[in-house]
């Protein structure tokens, strides 16, 4: 028996004021995550110099763009960018096969990082790129690749990283950055536990167990990237979707006028997958490189055909993710000298 107190035709077991304390905690967490995202998201932009950058420093690579923007390089996402980048540097030529595939013809090797011929912006990124280049070709002179897939298998890329001792994000992020990421993740998850605790106090079964079950699905979805997405989605539909659905359903039997179960469920995904991306604490010596990239991206957005060498800029159009929006106005009629065949999907 929960007593005689009723609100909105729902029987209340716990005192009503306790609910508003819990609601304050839920929305306090949400406001904190939003505040962190706004403050640190604007911090880097405040340090962007207002100047035009028409080209990047010598030796820059699409992998440098990823390293500076997000602190990590993911070459599996930059297959097209790296192919064009290597071709522009004279390392390979490219032959059209079909809409999805091209053949890469090796013309020269990437020099070792301590060679006088090596030109790079960041040594660590160059070492990884060189090892990736060598892994793609091995002892072959010609390889056919799918431009919509990674250049090498995941185990090969893990092997490339395994033997590299220097931190990839050295000079980009400090321990403060990672502490903020952890803190933001905790604040994004906490509302789910707070809402479940309220339902438990209000007499709706053992609601507190549902967030713990949901964390099994959340962990797999958020961090187990090596598991193929379809399998992750099936797993998460059971271990994440079901308990969250159960918590939301509990509003039918519990007092929840401010919708803390809905807010907590939304925040679990919005905070830990979207807003956390804006909680970005960079080392000050990296902000200059970040500024150059932001201004170069802005230049490419606004450039016309006469302002830029399209094929020289193409790797960075891919790296910035703006190629679909700028290619039509920048692309010349002639194909580059390193490319044979019809245009296909690469250019």
């Amino acid at each position: 028996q929960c007593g005689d107190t009723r609100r909105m035709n729902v029987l209340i077991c716990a005192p009503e004021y306790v609910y508003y304390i819990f609601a304050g905690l839920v929305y306090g967490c949400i406001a904190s995550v939003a505040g962190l995202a706004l403050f640190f998201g604007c911090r880097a932009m405040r340090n962007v110099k207002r100047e035009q950058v028409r080209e990047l420093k010598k030796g820059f690579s699409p992998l440098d763009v990823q390293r500076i923007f997000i602190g990590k390089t993911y070459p599996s996402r930059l297959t097209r960018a790296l192919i064009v980048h290597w071709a522009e540097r004279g390392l390979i030529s490219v032959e059209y096969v079909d809409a999805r595939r091209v053949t890469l013809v090796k013309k020269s090797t990437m020099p070792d990082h301590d060679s006088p011929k090596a030109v790079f912006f960041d040594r660590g990124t160059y070492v990884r790129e060189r090892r990736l280049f060598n892994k793609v070709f091995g002892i072959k002179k010609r390889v056919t690749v799918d431009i919509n897939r990674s250049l090498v298998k995941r185990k090969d890329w893990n092997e490339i990283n395994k033997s590299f001792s220097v931190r990839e994000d050295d000079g980009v992020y400090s321990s403060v950055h990672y502490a903020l990421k952890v803190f933001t993740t905790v604040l994004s998850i906490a509302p789910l536990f707070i809402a479940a605790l309220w339902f438990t106090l209000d007499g709706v079964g053992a609601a507190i167990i549902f967030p713990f079950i949901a964390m099994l699905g959340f962990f797999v979805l958020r961090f187990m990237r090596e598991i193929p997405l379809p399998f992750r989605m099936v797993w998460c539909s059971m271990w994440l979707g079901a308990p969250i659905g159960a918590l939301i359903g509990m509003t039918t039997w519990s007092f929840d006028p401010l919708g803390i179960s809905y807010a907590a469920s939304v925040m679990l995904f919005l905070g830990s997958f979207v807003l956390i991306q804006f909680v970005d604490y960079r080392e000050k010596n990296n902000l200059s490189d970040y500024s150059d990239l932001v201004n170069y991206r802005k230049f490419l957005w606004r450039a016309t055909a006469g302002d830029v060498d399209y094929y020289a800029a193409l790797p960075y159009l891919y790296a910035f993710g703006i190629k679909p929006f700028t290619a039509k106005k920048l692309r010349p009629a002639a194909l580059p000298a390193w490319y044979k065949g019809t245009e296909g999907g690469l250019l």
Side-chain angles (χ1 to χ4, degrees), residues 18-35:
V18 175
Y19 169 80
Y20 290 104
I21 293 175
F22 277 72
L25 291 173
V26 168
Y27 286 104
C29 289
I30 293 173
S32 297
V33 173

Side-chain angles (χ1 to χ4, degrees), residues 110-305:
M110 291 183 69
D112 192 72
H113 68 275
D114 56 2
S115 168
K117 297 181 179 180
V119 179
F120 53 83
F121 178 76
D122 176 77
R123 183 182 69 88
T125 304
Y126 180 83
V127 170
R128 283 179 169 82
E129 185 177 343
R130 181 175 180 273
R131 291 179 178 176
L132 176 64
F133 181 87
N134 292 339
K135 179 65 71 173
V136 169
F137 284 97
I139 61 174
K140 299 178 181 178
K141 291 293 185 180
R142 300 169 61 91
V143 293
T144 298
V145 299
D146 187 332
I147 60 176
N148 296 324
R149 303 183 66 180
S150 175
L151 284 168
V152 296
K153 296 179 180 179
R154 184 183 296 274
K155 67 175 183 178
D156 293 328
W157 179 243
N158 289 338
E159 186 63 28
I160 291 171
N161 281 333
K162 182 179 179 181
S163 57
F164 194 75
S165 60
V166 179
R167 281 179 54 194
E168 183 176 359
D169 54 2
D170 189 35
V172 179
Y173 296 124
S174 67
S175 59
V176 175
H177 171 82
Y178 297 103
L180 283 169
K181 291 287 189 183
V182 172
F183 184 58
T184 303
T185 301
V186 171
L187 287 176
S188 300
I189 294 172
L192 200 67
F193 285 87
I194 295 170
L197 182 58
W198 161 252
F199 290 135
T200 301
L201 291 176
D202 203 32
V204 187
I208 193 62
I209 68 172
F210 290 115
F212 291 98
I213 297 173
M215 287 303 100
L216 295 174
F218 174 79
F219 179 81
V220 171
L221 182 63
R222 183 72 176 86
F223 301 108
M224 303 295 287
R225 299 292 179 86
E226 65 273 13
I227 300 177
L229 183 60
F231 293 101
R232 278 191 287 156
M233 296 306 295
V234 171
W235 173 272
C236 294
S237 65
M238 298 182 294
W239 292 98
L240 182 58
I244 288 178
L247 281 175
I248 293 175
M250 288 179 183
T251 57
T252 306
W253 302 284
S254 182
F255 180 68
D256 188 16
L258 299 181
I260 61 173
S261 60
Y262 293 98
S265 300
V266 171
M267 195 59 197
L268 177 66
F269 297 98
L270 182 64
S272 56
F273 287 93
V274 180
L275 295 180
I276 197 171
Q277 302 298 326
F278 297 93
V279 182
D280 185 295
Y281 190 89
R282 296 172 178 272
E283 296 289 356
K284 290 186 177 180
N285 61 350
N286 174 254
L287 288 171
S288 176
D289 299 332
Y290 179 84
S291 178
D292 288 342
L293 288 181
V294 171
N295 284 313
Y296 184 57
R297 181 176 61 184
K298 188 183 299 183
F299 164 71
L300 293 178
W301 265 112
R302 299 173 179 177
T304 59

